[in-house]
Amino acid sequence: MLLSLRINNFALIDQLELDFGAGLNVLTGETGAGKSIILDAIDVVLGGKASSRFIRTGSQRAMVEATFRGDPALLAWLSEQEIERLDEESVVCSRELAIGQSSLRSRSRVNGVLVNRQLLEQLRDRLVEITAQGQTVQLMAPALQRGLIDLYGGTATLQQREQVAAAYLTSQEALNTLEKRRQSEKQRWQRLDLLEYQAKELGTIQLTDADELEQLEHERQRLSHVVDLQQLSYKVYQGLYQNDQGGTACADLLGDAEATLSDMVRYDDQLQPLLDLVNAALAQVVEASHQINTYGDGLETDPERLQEVEERIVALKQICRKYGPTLAEAIAYYQQVQAELAQLQGAGESLEDLEKQYQVCLETLTKTCQELTTLRQQAAAKLESHLVGELKPLAMEKVQFQVQITPIQPTATGADQVTFYFSPNPGEPLQPLAATASGGEMSRFLLALKASFSNATDTLGTLIFDEIDVGVSGRVAQAIALKLHHLSFQHQVLCVTHQPLIAAMADRHFRVDKQVIDQIPVPTTTKSPTKGNDKTDPQEPINPDRLTRWDGQSPTQQETETLAIDSPLLETRTVVRVRLLDTHLTRREEIAQLAGGHSATEAIAFAESLLTQAANQRQN
């Protein structure tokens, strides 16, 4: 429930504080008095579209603050959003608008916490609902009519719609997977052919060792020079151990040196280490000679092996050029080809399997849509009866209303198109709502619709009606007044009206009007005339009741005395004022103004009768 509204420098409002109550709150006043500005302020503070025109002329900032009393569900939701409570029940929403260098700046807070527009819109849906004749266009949209049926159907219908949305999402994912597979099937087969050829080529050559090519190069060098290696090994053997050419071998020379050193050691044992070195050298030379002799004996020419090695080297180099450039990279690519080939051949699901999965998802979607259609048909039948019952007391005794549900292709919201058909007059056929209802009939339709949902669902705490009574009078206005009064039993109702019959039923009555004031334009004591043509006549005496400061506060005595001397300092401004009519006499005066435009005896008597009648109806 909306408890209070505080407005600063918003449109024609300089400063305003309003306290609302439970039941039916009514705003009245002349056309153009500024009633809609108050509803604009409520809309803006709850995330409505803002513009620089909402900032009062001459000001740089505007501020609106609305205090609501929240229920436990709302307070729990705020806790989920990490917004702390100010007290046990209050929820304070505020919005500040400021003129920037190039654009309008806006800041919204809930209980002092900065919030974004998305969260504020979610909060708005939990706090208020504004109904105006401008809703007619939106109400014509099939999507909105479908949403209204789902809302009227209650929890079961809304949960079923969530299941439809989930089934639709699953079916779309399955369809996307299937379409991608269909589109890639040709590329898959082409890729399979290429990979199978490469795998066969790489598998045939039997790549196992990344160093094989280097080893084969060494083997080819050895096989190509077997004769040279035999001759050279024999030459080394002769030089080390046995020289058949008449020369002295290295082993013979070391033997002689060993014998000589042995004789010398007998006379000087200090030469023993040198003798040991010669002995070791002689042993190594003998061992080397034996090994080189064995190597030379083991060398044999093998033309066939040489040919095999050369052919293998050519094959490996060709593989490296295609898949390398190194043999190690070619082996790694072969492993990659094997893995991808395995994935394409058997890892993924077949096209047939994907088609079966999509059909299963489609069947599930169809079934959930059918269940949702059944729930919508049940809700539509109840709404038809309920809405007609709400319309009949509004001077529409012969009204007909029907909800037509026609099948469409399944979507995230189901497989139904919902259309409201309406016939307000006897003998007229049912037609879409947009083609039949006049302004007054649409006013009653909207009111009856709100009443139907008020009784059928857990709706919001505050319902706001902006001139819902436009185009009606007399008995119809009385019926609307009673309907609003009945709604106020379950909800706080805020209504802007021109109808005295509705105003008389109010539990809390506000009068809105415009006033012209003399305002000190700037916070200064300098005696300089205000620029522009909007000046007070210097000869005209200052009216203290009209005098106010630029910030809306009462002027000081010094400022009043200064202005008495130099009245051109004043600006003439128009402001919106709202007064709570809290006595029987003030209410009677206002209702008389609404009824007759003056306070003549007849109008006063009529207003008195309306108030008496309203009091009796409230008691009943």
Side-chain angles (χ1 to χ4, degrees):
M1 184 176 80
L2 178 60
L3 299 178
S4 63
L5 186 66
R6 186 162 65 91
I7 306 173
N8 288 328
N9 294 326
F10 186 86
L12 293 178
I13 298 175
D14 52 356
Q15 285 192 337
L16 179 63
E17 293 189 17
L18 292 176
D19 293 326
F20 297 98
L24 178 58
N25 296 259
V26 167
L27 297 172
T28 60
E30 298 292 338
T31 300
K35 301 182 294 297
S36 295
I37 295 177
I38 298 182
L39 299 191
D40 288 340
I42 296 175
D43 178 64
V44 166
V45 78
L46 293 176
K49 185 177 181 180
S51 67
S52 58
R53 68 181 179 86
F54 285 138
I55 298 179
R56 188 168 180 249
T57 303
S59 301
Q60 297 297 312
R61 297 177 182 275
M63 194 278 293
V64 182
E65 180 183 277
T67 301
F68 295 85
R69 184 171 65 208
D71 57 18
L74 175 63
L75 297 176
W77 180 83
L78 288 176
S79 297
E80 294 175 1
Q81 311 306 315
E82 299 182 352
I83 297 176
E84 297 182 358
R85 300 183 184 183
L86 295 179
D87 55 37
E88 290 301 319
E89 294 182 334
S90 297
V91 178
V92 179
C93 303
S94 64
R95 187 172 183 183
E96 183 180 3
L97 307 177
I99 298 177
Q101 294 181 350
S102 59
S103 62
L104 180 70
R105 299 197 307 270
S106 172
R107 288 185 178 180
S108 295
R109 290 180 171 85
V110 176
N111 288 354
V113 179
L114 281 172
V115 296
N116 57 33
R117 185 173 181 179
Q118 290 74 17
L119 187 142
L120 200 58
E121 288 177 348
Q122 295 178 32
L123 178 61
R124 176 198 184 106
D125 292 340
R126 290 168 166 81
L127 289 175
V128 303
E129 185 170 357
I130 300 176
T131 301
Q133 280 204 330
Q135 286 184 299
T136 304
V137 176
Q138 292 89 337
L139 189 58
M140 299 308 119
L144 179 58
Q145 296 176 0
R146 181 173 55 226
L148 289 172
I149 288 295
D150 293 342
L151 183 62
Y152 190 82
T155 303
T157 306
L158 295 175
Q159 290 178 347
Q160 185 63 31
R161 190 173 68 178
E162 291 178 358
Q163 294 182 18
V164 168
Y168 179 77
L169 178 61
T170 302
S171 68
Q172 287 299 110
E173 291 175 349
L175 178 60
N176 291 337
T177 302
L178 177 60
E179 289 299 328
K180 288 180 181 178
R181 185 60 178 272
R182 285 171 175 169
Q183 293 174 3
S184 64
E185 192 67 11
K186 180 179 180 181
Q187 290 84 348
R188 189 179 77 90
W189 282 110
Q190 292 175 347
R191 183 66 175 168
L192 270 174
D193 289 344
L194 175 62
L195 292 176
E196 287 175 349
Y197 170 78
Q198 292 178 342
K200 181 178 180 181
E201 184 178 28
L202 290 167
T204 301
I205 205 168
Q206 298 181 351
L207 300 176
T208 56
D209 188 356
D211 298 326
E212 181 183 3
L213 185 59
E214 183 179 357
Q215 294 170 359
L216 290 174
E217 291 283 2
H218 293 162
E219 185 178 0
R220 183 175 68 174
Q221 289 291 330
R222 180 175 59 80
L223 292 174
S224 300
H225 299 84
V226 168
V227 176
D228 295 337
L229 289 172
Q230 287 176 335
Q231 293 174 354
L232 292 173
S233 62
Y234 182 68
K235 183 179 179 180
V236 171
Y237 175 74
Q238 286 185 322
L240 290 176
Y241 191 73
Q242 184 176 359
N243 194 337
D244 297 336
Q245 303 300 325
T248 303
C250 180
D252 295 335
L253 293 175
L254 287 173
D256 293 342
E258 179 187 24
T260 301
L261 283 171
S262 296
D263 292 338
M264 295 174 67
V265 166
R266 284 183 299 174
Y267 302 108
D268 187 357
D269 58 2
Q270 292 183 357
L271 294 175
Q272 185 61 45
L274 184 58
L275 177 60
D276 294 339
L277 288 175
V278 173
N279 286 335
L282 178 60
Q284 290 180 354
V285 167
V286 172
E287 178 63 25
S289 62
H290 289 326
Q291 290 187 13
I292 194 65
N293 186 47
T294 302
Y295 171 77
D297 292 342
L299 289 174
E300 295 181 359
T301 57
D302 191 349
E304 294 181 357
R305 175 58 185 167
L306 178 59
Q307 184 177 358
E308 290 177 0
V309 169
E310 289 180 340
E311 290 176 353
R312 179 70 174 175
I313 289 174
V314 170
L316 291 178
K317 286 186 174 179
Q318 184 178 6
I319 289 295
C320 288
R321 285 194 297 268
K322 293 178 67 174
Y323 306 107
T326 66
L327 192 58
E329 291 173 328
I331 293 173
Y333 182 75
Y334 178 43
Q335 295 172 347
Q336 178 183 342
V337 166
Q338 288 178 312
E340 186 177 355
L341 192 59
Q343 182 180 9
L344 289 176
Q345 287 177 335
E349 295 176 289
S350 67
L351 186 61
E352 292 76 11
D353 290 338
L354 292 177
E355 288 176 343
K356 290 179 181 178
Q357 289 182 14
Y358 173 63
Q359 289 301 321
V360 170
C361 293
L362 197 59
E363 291 173 1
T364 302
L365 175 61
T366 302
K367 181 180 178 181
T368 54
C369 285
Q370 289 173 347
E371 294 173 354
L372 178 58
T373 299
T374 300
L375 291 173
R376 282 173 172 166
Q377 290 170 342
Q378 295 172 357
K382 292 180 181 178
L383 180 60
E384 289 171 353
S385 175
H386 195 165
L387 188 59
V388 169
E390 294 289 348
L391 284 169
K392 285 184 177 180
L394 300 177
M396 300 182 77
E397 293 82 0
K398 302 299 183 180
V399 66
Q400 297 180 67
F401 173 71
Q402 187 179 93
V403 180
Q404 289 194 5
I405 300 177
T406 54
I408 59 173
Q409 288 296 321
T411 67
T413 57
D416 307 309
Q417 178 173 315
V418 177
T419 307
F420 288 174
Y421 278 76
F422 186 62
S423 175
N425 302 309
E428 295 296 327
L430 283 165
Q431 295 183 14
L433 186 62
T436 57
S438 65
E441 291 165 345
M442 182 54 67
S443 298
R444 285 176 279 174
F445 183 87
L446 288 172
L447 181 58
L449 190 65
K450 295 301 178 186
S452 299
F453 278 84
S454 174
N455 294 330
T457 61
D458 294 330
T459 54
L460 306 170
T462 301
L463 300 178
I464 299 176
F465 294 93
D466 184 10
E467 297 188 356
I468 197 71
D469 53 10
V470 170
V472 301
S473 60
R475 187 165 62 95
V476 176
Q478 181 64 46
I480 291 177
L482 288 174
K483 187 66 65 179
L484 290 171
H485 176 60
H486 292 156
L487 277 175
S488 70
F489 292 158
Q490 297 173 291
H491 309 274
Q492 180 192 44
V493 177
L494 179 59
C495 179
V496 173
T497 183
H498 291 281
Q499 289 289 343
L501 291 167
I502 295 175
M505 294 296 297
D507 296 296
R508 202 168 179 83
H509 189 170
F510 299 89
R511 173 177 172 78
V512 182
D513 58 8
K514 291 179 180 177
Q515 295 181 10
V516 177
I517 63 171
D518 294 329
Q519 177 177 285
I520 305 173
V522 292
T524 179
T525 57
T526 303
K527 299 180 182 180
S528 59
T530 306
K531 295 181 181 181
N533 298 323
D534 214 6
K535 297 179 182 178
T536 301
D537 186 350
Q539 305 301 322
E540 181 181 348
I542 298 174
N543 184 351
D545 295 334
R546 286 179 49 179
L547 187 59
T548 182
R549 284 169 49 90
W550 64 283
D551 55 4
Q553 301 297 322
S554 298
T556 65
Q557 182 177 357
Q558 181 181 358
E559 289 171 331
T560 304
E561 293 173 353
T562 301
L563 292 171
I565 299 172
D566 195 358
S567 58
L569 284 176
L570 298 179
E571 280 186 347
T572 299
R573 298 296 301 273
T574 300
V575 295
V576 172
R577 294 286 185 254
V578 181
R579 183 164 64 102
L580 173 62
L581 305 181
D582 53 358
T583 67
H584 181 82
L585 293 178
T586 54
R587 289 196 65 196
R588 187 181 66 180
E589 180 74 15
E590 176 64 12
I591 293 173
Q593 290 282 346
L594 293 175
H598 52 79
S599 299
T601 305
E602 295 83 359
I604 292 292
F606 178 67
E608 184 69 38
S609 67
L610 290 183
L611 289 171
T612 301
Q613 180 182 353
N616 293 333
Q617 289 173 337
R618 281 197 296 271
Q619 290 178 358
N620 295 332

